[in-house]
Amino acid sequence: MRPLTDEETKTMFEKLSKYIGENIRLLIDRPDGTYCFRLHNDRVYYMSERILKLATNISRDKLVSVGTCFGKFTKTQKFRLHITALDFLAPYAKFKVWVKPGSEQSFLYGNHIMKSGLGRITENTAQYQGVVVYSMADVPLGFGVAAKTTQECRMVDPMSIVVFHQADIGEYIRSEDTLT
Amino acid sequence: MKRLYIGGLGHTVSEKDLKDRFGKFGDVSDVEIVTRKDENGAPLKRFGYININITDAEYKRCVGILNKSTWKGGTLLIQLAKESFLHRLAEERQQLVEKAKAPKIIPQEKLVDSFKAAGVENFHMKAAVPGTEIPGHANWVVSKFGRVLPVVNLKGKGKNKVFKYDPSKHCHNIKRLETADDVTSVSKLTWEIKGGDDEISKKRRGEFPKQKPCPKRSKIDLSLFLSNLAQRNAMNAAATGNKNKVAIQQNGLSAVKTGKQKSVCVFDNDSDSEDEIRMLVAQEHLRNPKQTSTEDDDDNLEVVGDDFVVKSNAFWGGVEQDDVKTSLLTSTKDDEEYDSADTDEILTRRKTQTQAESAPVTQDSPTESSKNKSSSESDEGSDEADDEDDVSVDSDYEAMMGNCYRLDLSLADLEQLAKKAEVISDDESVEEPKEEAKTPSAPPKKTGNNPEDILASLLVDDTPEKESKKKKYQVNTVSLPAFIGTKDLFGGPEPSLKRLAPNIDGESSKRLKQDLKLKEQSISEDTQSSNRLSQQKLSTLNIQRGAKKLESKASTSEDDSSSEESESSGDEDVFTSKTSSASQSVVPETELKTVSSNNSKTPIKPNQTKTSRSSSSGSSSEESESSEDEDSAGVLTSKTPSVAQSVKTISKTQMKSVSSNNSKTPVKPNQTKTSRSSSSGSSSEESESSEEEDNAKVLTSKTSLATPLARTIPETELKTVSTNNSIKPKQTKTSRSSSSDSSSEESETSDDENSRTQTKDSKSADSKSVQENVVSHQTVPHSTVIDAKKQQQDNQKRLAALEQRQKETEQQKKLIQGALSNVDAAKVNKSKHIVFDSDEDDEEEDETTSRPEQPPTNLKKSLFEDDSGSDEDQQTSMLEEKKNNKPGGSKLFDSEDEDDGAEDEQFQIKPQFEGKAGQKLMELQASFGTDSRFQVDSRFLESDAEPEDQDEAAPEEDADKQLLEEKKKSLDILQSILNTNIQPQNTRKGKMFKYDDFGCSLSMFCSFRLFLKDYVCFCRDVSSLHYDPTQEEHTAFEAKTEEPKKESKAARRKKRIEAEKLPEVSKDVYFDISVDLKEVFGTSKENQDKKETVSWDKEAEDPEDIMKHMEVSFTSNAEANEDTSGGFKFSFFGEDTAVETTTKTDEYKIETVKGAKFSWQADPRFQDSSSDEEEVDEVEEDQSASNEITEEPTTSKKTFFFFYQNDERLKEGPGMFCRSVKLQDQREAWEEKRTSLREECRKKHRDAKRRQRPSLKT
């Protein structure tokens, strides 16, 4: 477990900023204590200072997970967000998409969101903007990338993809053994 | 006839000569002489042809004679010549004609004829062996089946080879073809199919059924439709209509679509005209206004703004407060249609109704009217009280409470309640409890009510009813203006208020808590059990909120009252003397309370000075009635008539307010110890209880009066309480003591009173629950009879609520008992309540510790004395409470303490002003959190604390530093990514610039706000190191008791860090707390000021530094910030010195401390830093320039949101819209340019083509 290098931090923040913009600051600079990001097994964990201290008691090879896993760095040094980061993305998300109850399941099975399943969308959403997906009951379901702008979304036919799926809470079951 | 050639003729021979000559031999018919001439025309030879009919003999003789004979100069040559061509031609023609005339002969027939001759018939020869030749025909052979076939010569592929094909030799290859006799001719093939009438056959035939004509769309008569629409609109609420429209507009997809879809049932899909569609949509909406919204949701894509807030806030604890706030607001708004209407409106509506109903009733009988009002108004009163509470909630409160769960009640529910209550009022009193219980009443959570409005509405209602009340109302009206808002309080002339503010807040919070509790009790006791439940929840949830409200309202008077309370307690010893004073004081307060049960808004406080206790009681209970009661109180013994009046008034008052207030005060007068009664009232807060008390008294004095009252009051519980109160005379002494306690904790005192009555009367249980009713019955026979029925009904409904309440009551009991034991030498009681005893001890300890001035012997101070101890005492009491949290305490008690403790924490800050010791204490507490052990230690070990901390901090510091650096780094990176200026919030630098000019009012306001915010922050920090906003409020102190170590560690660590960093910061930095304040709340103006100061300072102090700054990179700036921030953190310790040196800064110190801890208000700050940097840059650039230059930018930067003053853009902008050149000129220029452009274009086109060609080739 080690702190992120500058590059890593940059890539991660760039990724995060697609979803929550400058609200990243709220993650780093929290009023209720010191929180930090740590890299372990190519995964980035977000934890409080206290947890960090506690975690030092565990050897590296035995340590499975600390704090909240935000995602992992791929072999090509790209950062991939995991669904576990949703708890921190959802409250700060800039752009949101609400999914109709009918297509919730589809999304939770890992499918993209069609126009037909789109219940509501934040205005001025740009193309390829990171969005957090909510159910109509405002329960965050996951996140993805807007395939179309808000304007385009109005025009397209019902079967066209509006949001590319990236992660959904169904992964907690589907990829139970890889999530940390 | 022969043609003869005669040659060698002489020139002189003529045709006649020839004729004559040859005439001898035959007949000469035609003579022809030909002369051959050379070029010159000289004849070379001459010859001629003659046709002569001569025989051969004659021809011979002729030739013999004439041939070679010379005739006239030439030698004749006679020969037979060819026939002349003309003659020949004529002969040929003649032959052709002759041929044509001759008959044609067909060879086939010839053949057939010849075959016939040979015995062949139709090319068949019977009984002939194949290969036999047919006689007369060489090439014909008989072949198989007796057929006669020709022998054919075929030319082979080779050059000249010819094959002879003899069919007879290949006869085995020949087959005989069967003759097809059944062959059908083409014309007889099937050209038509004839079938039945069924569909298939028809279709086979290609006949398809005619397409059914589309049903014609029924055209709507527009006018008719519109009229319909209008009617419907009239019927539907306007609100719904609006909603629908809005919904239509809002739908991202065109409303037309939805209209089509929905209108399918009625009309065809083809509706084209927009008008029709619109009409359809409207109609559809009218039909099912509710469904539309949901359907729209399903059908249409909804586009929401960036500020759209997720509803389920609770789901995400970490949601930003702003969002939560807005969401709460929106959610409440969206709840129902009714919500759209102002609560005021609804109230008025309700009231008008109630008025109409109540007016006649009142005339019927006073008792009935009282009933009605009591029932209806009690509901209203409770609701209104809640409303008012909400009103008191300001933005700060909301920010604080944003994370808490809230009960959302629609006004509609409230209205329902009110209506029901009215209905019930018409019914018998017996029925009331049932129905009321049924009505699901929920405490309304509506913000935005104007308390004044509510009051006014109340007044309006009540005025017609009873004139006696009018007095009260007048008083109320007078008092109303006093209650304006927190700002006014602060704006007040008293500068001391500032300092007092925190103290006040603490007190107010306490009181609020008590009030809430009392409310709960009273409400629960009330017939409306449902209300009770909901309110209890609310109260528990919102206790903190209440505290906040109180804070916001920060009634200075309460402070006074607290201090005064102690006095009053002393006064209480003299029962009679104070009653009057108490009553007086009560009057204003009670009025306030009537407005809001909480009525922490004690603008009337000055009155309270005399009767602190009475004020407390007033606060808990209330009001106008109390004033009346006061009147009655004036004549203690002779009050019986007054009591009756009071009873009436009570009944009336009940209608208005929670009613609990009124009864209390009147009851007191009866009781010799009015002060006590007031306290009891405060404790119980239920006016009803007081009323009942009155009743009880009435029973003793005037039982007759009491009975109607009892009837009027449906809430039996109140009576029970009152009965308890009636017993008070015995308890008066105890109550006094309790009252003294109450000063420290008013709630306790009230409880104490109850408990006393209970304990002494052995009816303690009764007061809590249904048992109370029994007690009341015993005491008051009349009331009991009536009550019995009601109670039975009520009890069933209440049972659930009672259980919840029991806990609280138990707690109260315990508290009371403890207090009693202390006061009355109730060591016996002590044994029961371990916790409270410990508290007392703690208190004593605290006192000793907190006030070194006082001799340690103070341990034995009476409670009363403690109360008199004014603010400091309160602080100590707070401390005590904290300590009470020790594990030794009973659970119930602990829980209460938690609530108190949370509020008490606010008070910790207060002591600063009182003395150095107090300041230190506060600092230490703040630094250590709420850990009791450390607080104590800090006091004792002031000298030791710092070095210790430093030592321990050394190892940990590295890690922390690293973390900090890491954070900085990450922030930098983030900054680079976002291209925005982000500054770590934690870096709360007390900027190095001094602010001498601090507007008094501004500072006060700021300080207050800061205080509030800090309080919030403080709570959070203390309660949770983990991020769980929803829980903190309630569990803040539990957590401490459970895990004091962890927190203490964390706190210690922080302290150490701070301590370590402290040395870096210069003292100058420290004392300018005002800067910090401004930064926190500062407007842009302030920022500007700062900038200016910065630039000036830098210039003036050291231009060299500026140069350095230039070199320094951005990161360095960040470091600087860090340093400053670090310095800030230590403010606690630093402050100590600061305080010692400078007493001036005391006021602001608190804020700085808090500011250091909690960084999230820092937004304005990073603007600062950025601006600072810019400023620095500017300075660098313009170093040579004078100060004026530096000033210019700042002034010009006066921001109007988007523009500066004198913004250049504003000047340039308008020019863009005007035409600078004449249109004609422009056109000409364009024409010129156009040609060139065209050429250019062509050229490019050509080039492109040229280029394309080679590419194609390749």
Side-chain angles (χ1 to χ4, degrees), chain A residues 29 31-32 49 100 121 123 140, chain B residues 298 302 304 960 985 1027 1160:
Chain A
D29 202 10
D32 57 341
E49 179 190 6
K100 285 182 188 168
I121 188 173
E123 67 182 355
Chain B
D298 294 341
E302 190 177 344
V304 297
D960 289 333
Q985 295 177 339
Y1027 200 58
W1160 60 58

Side-chain angles (χ1 to χ4, degrees), chain A residues 5-173:
Chain A
T5 65
D6 283 358
E7 254 178 54
E8 287 164 345
T9 316
K10 201 175 170 214
T11 47
M12 192 189 70
F13 280 178
E14 274 171 353
K15 180 68 93 175
L16 276 179
S17 66
K18 286 179 183 168
Y19 298 89
I20 60 178
E22 70 270 10
N23 286 338
I24 299 174
R25 182 174 51 82
L26 300 176
L27 293 179
I28 305 165
D29 202 10
R30 279 171 70 152
D32 57 341
T34 311
Y35 281 75
C36 57
F37 291 99
R38 283 288 180 278
L39 188 75
H40 177 66
N41 284 344
D42 270 347
R43 285 175 164 76
V44 176
Y45 295 93
Y46 178 65
M47 69 198 82
S48 74
E49 179 190 6
R50 197 168 66 89
I51 301 287
L52 176 65
K53 296 243 163 78
L54 291 177
T56 53
N57 295 325
I58 299 171
S59 63
R60 250 195 315 182
D61 51 339
K62 297 287 198 294
L63 183 61
V64 174
S65 170
V66 211
T68 304
C69 179
F70 259 53
K72 72 172 197 178
F73 281 102
T74 63
K75 303 284 187 194
T76 54
Q77 288 304 303
K78 294 191 181 81
F79 186 70
R80 178 159 298 171
L81 277 170
H82 284 172
I83 185 58
T84 41
L86 180 66
D87 288 347
F88 294 90
L89 296 185
Y92 302 124
K94 294 251 160 132
F95 295 93
K96 306 183 175 94
V97 163
W98 285 262
V99 177
K100 285 182 188 168
S103 54
E104 265 178 37
Q105 196 184 36
S106 167
F107 177 72
L108 291 185
Y109 282 174
N111 298 319
H112 302 305
I113 298 177
M114 307 283 190
K115 161 70 184 306
S116 59
L118 186 64
R120 195 188 294 154
I121 188 173
T122 312
E123 67 182 355
N124 294 332
T125 306
Q127 199 173 20
Y128 308 132
Q129 164 74 44
V131 295
V132 172
V133 179
Y134 289 83
S135 72
M136 289 309 279
D138 286 340
V139 177
L141 300 178
F143 47 86
V145 162
K148 303 219 163 27
T149 66
T150 303
Q151 286 307 316
E152 286 171 345
C153 284
R154 295 179 161 179
M155 303 307 180
V156 295
D157 63 312
M159 292 313 288
S160 60
I161 294 174
V162 164
V163 174
F164 294 123
H165 169 274
Q166 280 187 333
D168 63 82
I169 54 178
E171 285 176 32
Y172 280 114
I173 294 174

Side-chain angles (χ1 to χ4, degrees), chain B residues 1047-1060:
Chain B
E1047 290 188 358
S1048 68
K1049 273 185 184 174
R1052 228 189 282 157
R1053 197 184 304 137
K1054 279 186 180 175
K1055 249 197 177 178
R1056 279 164 208 156
I1057 301 166
E1058 291 173 358
E1060 292 255 325

Side-chain angles (χ1 to χ4, degrees), chain B residues 157-200:
Chain B
K157 285 177 184 174
K159 288 181 179 175
N160 292 325
K161 267 194 175 177
V162 174
F163 297 101
K164 188 178 179 185
Y165 175 74
D166 187 353
S168 64
K169 293 184 178 170
H170 302 279
C171 60
H172 56 277
N173 288 337
I174 296 174
K175 277 183 187 173
R176 181 178 203 149
L177 297 176
E178 296 275 332
T179 57
D181 5 329
D182 52 347
V183 171
T184 53
S185 66
V186 174
S187 61
K188 286 187 181 176
L189 292 175
T190 348
W191 292 109
E192 269 189 7
I193 298 178
K194 293 174 183 175
D197 275 343
D198 53 343
E199 288 260 320
I200 297 176

Side-chain angles (χ1 to χ4, degrees), chain B residues 571-809:
Chain B
D571 296 342
E572 285 177 348
D573 297 352
V574 186
F575 305 151
T576 55
S577 64
K578 285 173 186 173
T579 55
S580 62
S581 65
S583 61
Q584 293 174 355
S585 64
V586 171
V587 176
E589 285 188 353
T590 53
E591 292 173 358
L592 292 173
K593 289 168 183 176
T594 53
V595 175
S596 63
S597 58
N598 302 339
N599 37 26
S600 43
K601 325 140 188 180
T602 54
I604 314 153
K605 293 169 185 176
N607 298 338
Q608 295 175 351
T609 54
K610 297 175 185 174
T611 59
S612 63
R613 226 222 269 132
S614 64
S615 68
S616 66
S617 65
S619 65
S620 61
S621 59
E622 354 350 40
E623 16 325 54
S624 60
E625 298 167 1
S626 65
S627 66
E628 293 178 358
D629 296 341
E630 293 173 1
D631 299 344
S632 62
V635 186
L636 297 177
T637 55
S638 65
K639 280 156 199 166
T640 53
S642 67
V643 172
Q645 291 178 353
S646 66
V647 173
K648 292 177 185 177
T649 57
I650 292 162
S651 62
K652 300 169 186 176
T653 54
Q654 286 176 353
M655 303 170 65
K656 294 177 185 177
S657 63
V658 184
S659 71
S660 60
N661 314 332
N662 316 340
S663 59
K664 297 170 187 174
T665 53
V667 175
K668 296 170 186 175
N670 298 338
Q671 302 166 355
T672 53
K673 302 135 191 179
T674 56
S675 63
R676 220 213 296 135
S677 64
S678 65
S679 65
S680 66
S682 64
S683 64
S684 63
E685 292 176 353
E686 302 130 358
S687 60
E688 299 166 2
S689 64
S690 62
E691 291 176 358
E692 290 181 355
E693 292 176 4
D694 297 341
N695 297 339
K697 294 173 183 178
V698 174
L699 290 175
T700 57
S701 61
K702 299 173 182 180
T703 56
S704 63
L705 290 176
T707 53
L709 290 177
R711 294 173 191 167
T712 56
I713 304 166
E715 301 100 0
T716 57
E717 295 176 358
L718 296 174
K719 292 177 184 177
T720 60
V721 177
S722 65
T723 57
N724 297 337
N725 294 339
S726 63
I727 305 159
K728 289 175 184 174
K730 303 172 185 177
Q731 305 167 352
T732 53
K733 297 171 186 177
T734 59
S735 67
R736 262 188 263 136
S737 62
S738 66
S739 65
S740 64
D741 295 346
S742 68
S743 64
S744 62
E745 296 178 357
E746 293 176 359
S747 63
E748 291 179 2
T749 59
S750 61
D751 297 347
D752 293 352
E753 290 178 357
N754 296 338
S755 64
R756 287 174 216 153
T757 57
Q758 293 169 358
T759 54
K760 290 180 180 179
D761 299 349
S762 71
K763 298 166 187 176
S764 61
D766 298 348
S767 64
K768 297 174 187 174
S769 63
V770 183
Q771 297 173 356
E772 290 179 359
N773 300 335
V774 179
V775 177
S776 66
H777 294 296
Q778 294 174 355
T779 55
V780 185
H782 297 277
S783 62
T784 52
V785 178
I786 301 168
D787 296 346
K789 298 175 186 175
K790 301 172 184 174
Q791 285 177 355
Q792 285 177 356
Q793 297 170 348
D794 295 347
N795 291 342
Q796 293 174 352
K797 300 164 185 173
R798 292 171 201 157
L799 280 177
L802 288 179
E803 290 179 358
Q804 294 180 349
R805 291 181 53 208
Q806 264 186 341
K807 282 188 178 181
E808 292 180 357
T809 53

